[in-house]
Amino acid sequence: GKCTFQISPGAFFQTNTEGAEILYNIVVDRVREVTDNPKETMLVDVCCGTGTIGLTLLKEGVVGKLVGVDIAAPAIEDAKVNAAKNGFADESVTKFVASPAENVMPAILHEIPRSSPVVAVVDPAREGLHGIVIKTLRANERIERLVYVSCNPTGSLVKDASMLCGPPTKKYPGRPFRITRSQPVDMFPLTSHCEMIMTFDRMPMDEYLKYHESP
């Protein structure tokens, strides 16, 4: 694509690079659909790795700012290098945090200016998202769209989707999401595995009140 990336030996990257480009373009399209004001839109990139998806979204002009978080410090160092390589070194545009997402997500979302539209992309490992991350995403209703890239669509994606879309509870409060599109990408030809890009949109308030308001 339009970006250049540095990938260190200890950092994850898709081995099928042509498939990865297709996957990234689908994510770009899903985000573009909902960003009416791209320059002011903040992307929250959870499990961002070396920053490849988020920086691609910036390069394509569908978001204007990015905060990424990943547990792997080498990947975050690569992400910072990649931001500079692609013209996004300004810390007011890109910020990358090396930490388990569950430790920093509440603070990250709290720090985003109220005036900024927010969209989220998550690309977790096979275990899926931590419960605190799901709780934080659900509770922050400014996030109208969440794009979930899953390498385990029959396992952790099913579990996480049920918590993102289920009725509000004490553990997972907030207006739920609903699944609006799913797109498999065959990253591993001639195997039984595939990546899944699932799009979650926030349930409209009138629908939420119809089904979840107390009698």
Side-chain angles (χ1 to χ4, degrees):
K2 299 178 181 178
C3 293
T4 300
F5 299 123
Q6 169 181 300
I7 311 295
S8 295
F12 171 80
F13 189 71
Q14 297 285 357
T15 54
N16 182 346
T17 53
E18 291 185 9
E21 191 163 343
I22 292 170
L23 186 150
Y24 291 1
N25 287 338
I26 293 169
V27 176
V28 168
D29 289 343
R30 297 292 83 79
V31 173
R32 181 183 282 122
E33 290 170 350
V34 295
T35 49
D36 297 329
N37 187 5
K39 288 186 178 180
E40 296 302 319
T41 299
M42 172 69 78
L43 170 68
V44 178
D45 192 358
V46 184
C47 308
C48 67
T50 55
T52 52
I53 292 179
L55 293 171
T56 298
L57 291 170
L58 275 174
K59 201 76 166 183
E60 292 289 344
V62 296
V63 298
K65 303 171 186 176
L66 156 67
V67 56
V69 58
D70 197 277
I71 193 172
I76 289 296
E77 290 307 309
D78 280 347
K80 293 175 181 177
V81 171
N82 290 332
K85 279 179 175 287
N86 292 284
F88 301 114
D90 189 337
E91 290 188 1
S92 67
V93 176
T94 58
K95 178 182 179 182
F96 290 102
V97 181
S99 171
E102 61 270 21
N103 291 352
V104 294
M105 277 292 293
I108 285 173
L109 284 163
H110 181 73
E111 291 170 2
I112 297 173
R114 298 296 304 175
S115 58
S116 292
V118 183
V119 63
V121 172
V122 301
D123 186 8
R126 291 189 64 81
E127 296 78 17
L129 295 171
H130 192 282
I132 291 174
V133 176
I134 292 174
K135 178 179 180 179
T136 305
L137 293 169
R138 275 197 60 147
N140 282 266
E141 296 189 10
R142 282 193 296 163
I143 302 173
E144 290 288 343
R145 172 160 289 187
L146 184 155
V147 182
Y148 193 128
V149 181
S150 174
C151 61
N152 189 8
T154 60
S156 56
L157 176 59
V158 175
K159 171 182 67 70
D160 291 351
S162 68
M163 291 186 285
L164 288 165
C165 299
T169 64
K170 288 183 178 180
K171 187 174 182 180
Y172 298 110
R175 195 157 33 107
F177 290 93
R178 60 182 183 177
I179 299 165
T180 53
R181 183 176 292 189
S182 296
Q183 176 66 61
V185 180
D186 187 6
M187 299 289 288
F188 317 103
L190 304 180
T191 76
S192 60
H193 301 285
C194 76
E195 296 272 320
M196 180 69 74
I197 304 170
M198 188 168 281
T199 304
F200 294 82
D201 287 322
R202 188 75 65 171
M203 182 179 285
M205 182 59 77
D206 58 346
E207 184 176 341
Y208 171 74
L209 293 175
K210 180 180 178 181
Y211 291 108
H212 298 291
E213 191 177 40
S214 299

